[in-house]
Amino acid sequence: MASCLQIADDEKGHDLDLFCVPRHYESDLDKVIIPHGLIMDRTERLARDIIQDMGGHHIVALCVLKGGYKFFADLLDYIKVLNHNSDKSVPLTVDFIRVKSYCNDKSTNSVKVIGGDELSNLSGKDIVETGRTMQTLLSLLSECNPKMVKVVSLLVKRTPRSSGYRPDYIGFEVPDAFLVGYALDYNEYFRDLSHICILNDQAKEKYKV
Ligand code: IMP
Ligand code: MG
């Protein structure tokens, strides 16, 4: 099973005052749970693991928008650095797909998929909660008969709502809380926040639709 960095359920996180957080979000967040630097360090290692496992296969890196865009871009930057500086390198092309399933902090039970013209080999994803979004996407991808599909997710949530689905590569396993930042949103807000943070209840009301 994919190894990952465990963020414990009783993790206290870090005070917001210790980091730079946009003023407009200061009263909406409880704690910084994964600082941006730690996200980058873990992503660098995921890039190395992926390149080691992929051999010389051509990678079509498929970004799952919108929440996966930061992770995707940073992961690919690290893969590019490895491609530039080692004897072994893999050809890389990119594609983008958009999925939407959430309203407020709850799943709507329907997964809408838009875009993507060449679907094979590798997916980059923000967060897996129940696993339903990824399972829907994987059954769609299988219709294109790809040689291989590997899923990379920055976060997997420990939750009783999980279907048991596990991605091939995981950055962090996180407690069952609603997280925002590093492109993860609450009704489209908080994508412009660098750290992954826990949203407070007041903010859930403030940005509710
Ligand atoms: P799943 O289908 O239950 O695995 O949910 C995955 C999708 O739900 C993600 O791609 C996100 O869009 C959204 N999601 C689940 N948990 C969170 C969270 O804590 N913060 C932000 N979005 C989340
Ligand atoms: Mg979302």
Side-chain angles (χ1 to χ4, degrees), residues 86-157:
S86 60
D87 297 336
K88 214 169 78 174
S89 73
V90 292
L92 190 67
T93 56
V94 298
D95 201 356
F96 299 87
I97 198 166
R98 182 161 172 214
V99 298
K100 187 166 171 58
S101 62
Y102 262 58
C103 182
N104 298 323
D105 59 349
K106 298 279 178 313
S107 171
T108 58
N109 285 327
S110 83
V111 182
K112 287 196 202 90
V113 182
I114 313 160
D117 42 48
E118 196 197 350
L119 307 177
S120 39
N121 279 30
L122 184 86
S123 313
K125 176 96 175 72
D126 58 344
I127 183 165
V128 171
E129 186 174 64
T130 63
R132 205 168 331 117
T133 306
M134 209 52 237
Q135 282 169 317
T136 305
L137 200 54
L138 282 172
S139 70
L140 210 109
L141 289 178
S142 71
E143 290 169 18
C144 306
N145 295 317
K147 250 192 242 142
M148 189 200 301
V149 179
K150 296 281 183 197
V151 177
V152 192
S153 185
L154 179 65
L155 308 171
V156 168
K157 212 179 267 188

Side-chain angles (χ1 to χ4, degrees), residues 147-180:
K147 250 192 242 142
M148 189 200 301
V149 179
K150 296 281 183 197
V151 177
V152 192
S153 185
L154 179 65
L155 308 171
V156 168
K157 212 179 267 188
R158 264 190 313 276
T159 167
R161 296 182 300 287
S162 167
S163 66
Y165 169 76
R166 300 281 292 184
D168 300 286
Y169 301 91
I170 302 167
F172 302 86
E173 200 178 273
V174 293
D176 194 2
F178 199 80
L179 304 175
V180 292

